[in-house]
Amino acid sequence: MVGGGPGDPGLLTLHALNALRQADVIIYDALVNQAILDWANPAAIIEYAGKRGGKPSPHQRDISLKLVELARNGKRVLRLKGGDPFVFGRGGEEAQTLVQAGIKLRIIPGISAGIGGLAYAGIPVTHRDVNQSVTFLSGHDRTGAMPSAINWQAVSRGSQVIVMYMAIKHMPDICRKLLDAGRDPNEPVAVVSNATNPDMKVLETTLSTAMQDIQDSGIGAPAIVCVGRVTLMRQCLDWLGQMDGVPVRDLDPLNVRSVSETG
Ligand code: SAH
């Protein structure tokens, strides 16, 4: 059970690379960068388990059972997932089915889009001057609706920084809930789509303008939405942009210390 990271093949772990070279069968999900598969053992059978051409994705149960069947036939099976398999990736469910079937497995974590993807946009998920906690949440549940189990009041009041996966579809409702619960309309928000890939896009906005800006910019899934003042750090830390000659906008975007101070 392997995490392939958010896209950039260089973000694979050495364990993941070894697994790609050794696997007999590789079953990969949507959002796995195909370039990663170039490292597979040339004799490996490679199968796609996500949505394709508008057709519905195979049922979760069917994928899990297929992994069991292949493993029982003596194959070394690599289940490749985007990001980290245990972060909104159903890796826990699939791994559980394997263990229940008596199959030995190995878990290889990956870099999750909500951390590594934001880093590529120059956004640290924590910064001492902003937050001592982060909330990761999913913008929709297994039915596609907004997750009813999320206590938006509590998130709004208690989460210094909120990192949202799968949130684009329900952004209007999510913004409304956060604002109704008292979150500052001017709070900075960043939307990072196709993070770490060559077509990565970053939108900088605020809680009250996010909806309109997302619509106007046409930025779409897959995207991470980050709510919180850490997103301001991009004004200083947009390292990818800086490589392309984009000037640093602010050396101290949080206005907390003189630039020469290091403590
Ligand atoms: N296991 C994955 C998350 C799977 S859920 C992980 O740890 O990253 C799918 C959601 O992840 C997408 O809807 C999007 O919100 C986010 N995501 C995955 N890859 C992404 C990428 N390259 N850029 C932006 N968001 C991404």
Side-chain angles (χ1 to χ4, degrees):
M1 182 74 57
V2 178
D8 182 346
L11 295 178
L12 277 183
T13 62
L14 293 178
H15 278 319
L17 185 59
N18 272 328
L20 279 161
R21 291 194 174 143
Q22 289 170 20
D24 301 313
V25 184
I26 298 170
I27 300 185
Y28 69 99
D29 271 359
L31 298 185
V32 167
N33 183 347
Q34 305 267 327
I36 286 169
L37 300 170
D38 292 347
W39 281 322
N41 172 358
I45 297 166
I46 301 182
E47 272 189 42
Y48 180 74
K51 280 193 182 111
R52 181 168 273 172
K55 291 194 193 129
S57 55
H59 287 195
Q60 192 57 45
R61 184 95 203 122
D62 295 344
I63 297 171
S64 297
L65 293 178
K66 172 159 208 172
L67 298 177
V68 169
E69 190 189 306
L70 285 165
R72 284 203 172 132
N73 289 335
K75 305 281 186 221
R76 280 171 302 179
V77 186
L78 194 167
R79 179 70 173 111
L80 184 59
K81 291 179 165 288
D84 184 283
F86 281 5
V87 178
F88 301 126
R90 305 181 191 173
E93 295 164 53
E94 287 181 28
Q96 184 180 18
T97 307
L98 293 170
V99 172
Q100 285 169 347
I103 287 163
K104 295 257 185 319
L105 68 113
R106 174 168 196 170
I107 313 274
I108 302 178
I111 293 181
S112 191
I115 298 178
L118 289 176
Y120 267 48
I123 300 168
V125 280
T126 73
H127 187 294
R128 270 197 304 174
D129 295 311
V130 175
N131 61 325
Q132 288 69 43
S133 67
V134 188
T135 298
F136 295 98
L137 63 82
S138 166
H140 62 71
D141 63 16
R142 58 171 76 212
T143 70
M146 248 173 84
S148 51
I150 293 180
N151 181 337
W152 293 99
Q153 285 273 348
V155 170
S156 178
R157 294 214 181 119
S159 303
Q160 295 168 302
V161 168
I162 311 169
V163 175
M164 306 194 251
Y165 294 68
M166 299 175 272
I168 294 289
K169 184 170 150 208
H170 294 304
M171 262 320 261
D173 287 344
I174 292 171
C175 291
R176 175 70 18 237
K177 286 206 184 285
L178 290 174
L179 289 169
D180 285 352
R183 204 85 183 189
D184 177 3
N186 295 318
E187 184 165 8
V189 171
V191 182
V192 185
S193 76
N194 293 305
T196 81
N197 286 316
D199 53 350
M200 172 167 111
K201 286 203 180 66
V202 184
L203 170 71
E204 293 170 47
T205 177
T206 66
L207 251 194
S208 58
T209 51
M211 244 355 284
Q212 194 61 48
D213 287 347
I214 289 172
Q215 218 171 43
D216 294 348
S217 67
I219 200 166
I224 292 290
V225 179
C226 180
V227 178
R229 287 179 65 248
V230 286
T231 59
L232 296 176
M233 287 302 289
R234 175 171 161 79
Q235 298 173 12
C236 176
L237 298 181
D238 175 20
W239 56 277
L240 272 170
Q242 285 160 25
M243 281 188 202
D244 287 340
V246 178
V248 173
R249 277 177 283 165
D250 190 342
L251 287 171
D252 184 17
L254 301 172
N255 277 318
V256 281
R257 52 172 62 92
S258 70
V259 170
S260 60
E261 188 192 325
T262 50

